Amino acid sequence: EADIYQTPRYLVIGTGKKITLECSQTMGHDKMYWYQQDPGMELHLIHYSYGVNSTEKGDLSSESTVSRIRTEHFPLTLESARPSHTSQYLCASSEIGQAWRGYTFGSGTRLTVV
Amino acid sequence: GQQVMQIPQYQHVQEGEDFTTYCNSSTTLSNIQWYKQRPGGHPVFLIQLVKSGEVKKQKRLTFQFGEAKKNSSLHITATQTTDVGTYFCATDSNYQLIWGAGTKLIIKP
């Protein structure tokens, strides 16, 4: 079944640690996105990619980086976690030319930095 | 840049009452998408509207796109507990989605 997977589902980590949030999709979508969202609040775009070796920063500067070496994989790395990074991180994908299908989201990673 | 304003922020209804959320823009929108996010969940795509004056229905949900393509609404008839969550509108701009702030549907106990 085509889907988008995020791991870990929950993560509690100490300040200053480096972490990588994983996102993989099996739909062959070219476009992938990372959003930050506090529970029930607005979605803030952190990074996006149009395809392999393409990455762009979104509106929210979160001191993170992404890579897109393979179509299906779009990991997000926080070099030095801070309590202000505590939030939910949502990965999404979509297909170029198929906006009518909307975005498909993963289940999210709930990050707590202590 | 393009923005979409979504109101209200919250709506409390009795089960069985109707619910409506509105999205407005000062500029013409190429399209409008609607998503539902259940508490603790992730956004799920509901529908996309592209044509001026378009109306689409999904069971008890009715989606409208304004004649000037500057506003849209989502109306739920006779709400049920399964409708609880936050409803977001979004529109394509520069190959990204611009999101509304969402309207939270709360069923009064």
Side-chain angles (χ1 to χ4, degrees):
Chain A
E1 180 183 338
D3 212 335
I4 183 163
Y5 304 94
Q6 287 187 245
T7 58
R9 187 75 176 89
Y10 300 93
L11 179 62
V12 180
I13 200 161
T15 298
K17 297 292 186 183
K18 178 179 178 178
I19 56 172
T20 296
L21 308 184
E22 300 289 346
C23 177
S24 293
Q25 49 101 358
T26 59
M27 296 168 284
H29 285 171
D30 288 316
K31 297 169 76 172
M32 296 189 74
Y33 315 85
W34 276 104
Y35 285 92
Q36 184 176 337
Q37 184 192 34
D38 292 327
M41 303 299 284
E42 295 180 62
L43 286 90
H44 297 282
L45 182 65
I46 311 170
H47 295 279
Y48 58 100
S49 167
Y50 293 146
V52 171
N53 295 325
S54 149
T55 60
E56 302 286 344
K57 288 197 173 189
D59 298 328
L60 182 65
S61 173
S62 67
E63 297 149 352
S64 59
T65 58
V66 291
S67 63
R68 190 92 183 274
I69 299 171
R70 304 195 315 267
T71 298
E72 63 270 22
H73 193 214
F74 191 42
L76 174 76
T77 298
L78 283 173
E79 294 293 334
S80 180
R82 298 208 305 255
S84 60
H85 293 138
T86 295
S87 189
Q88 174 165 249
Y89 292 82
L90 291 163
C91 181
S93 70
S94 68
E95 184 54 43
I96 294 173
Q98 293 189 7
W100 57 274
R101 289 183 181 268
Y103 284 19
T104 301
F105 282 83
S107 297
T109 294
R110 292 185 185 274
L111 174 65
T112 302
V113 184
V114 297
Chain B
Q2 191 159 52
Q3 288 186 322
V4 285
M5 306 301 295
Q6 189 172 359
I7 56 170
Q9 187 176 3
Y10 301 93
Q11 191 167 356
H12 295 77
V13 299
Q14 297 278 3
E15 188 173 1
E17 291 182 340
D18 293 355
F19 162 87
T20 306
T21 173
Y22 301 90
C23 269
N24 299 293
S25 172
S26 59
T27 59
T28 301
L29 303 172
S30 59
N31 59 50
I32 195 84
Q33 297 184 1
W34 286 95
Y35 292 77
K36 175 184 178 181
Q37 184 175 21
R38 286 200 163 101
H42 55 277
V44 174
F45 174 71
L46 295 175
I47 207 162
Q48 175 173 273
L49 306 174
V50 297
K51 297 178 183 176
S52 168
E54 190 169 12
V55 178
K56 288 189 177 180
K57 292 190 176 185
Q58 291 179 351
K59 297 183 180 177
R60 294 177 295 104
L61 277 62
T62 302
F63 305 85
Q64 293 190 340
F65 203 8
E67 293 288 343
K69 298 181 73 173
K70 290 185 177 181
N71 58 77
S72 180
S73 65
L74 159 58
H75 180 83
I76 303 177
T77 305
T79 54
Q80 300 175 359
T81 54
T82 53
D83 296 324
V84 164
T86 302
Y87 292 83
F88 292 95
C89 63
T91 189
D92 261 329
S93 177
N94 294 330
Y95 306 105
Q96 304 168 35
L97 279 186
I98 306 300
W99 294 81
T103 296
K104 192 168 289 186
L105 168 58
I106 299 163
I107 304 281
K108 297 176 189 176

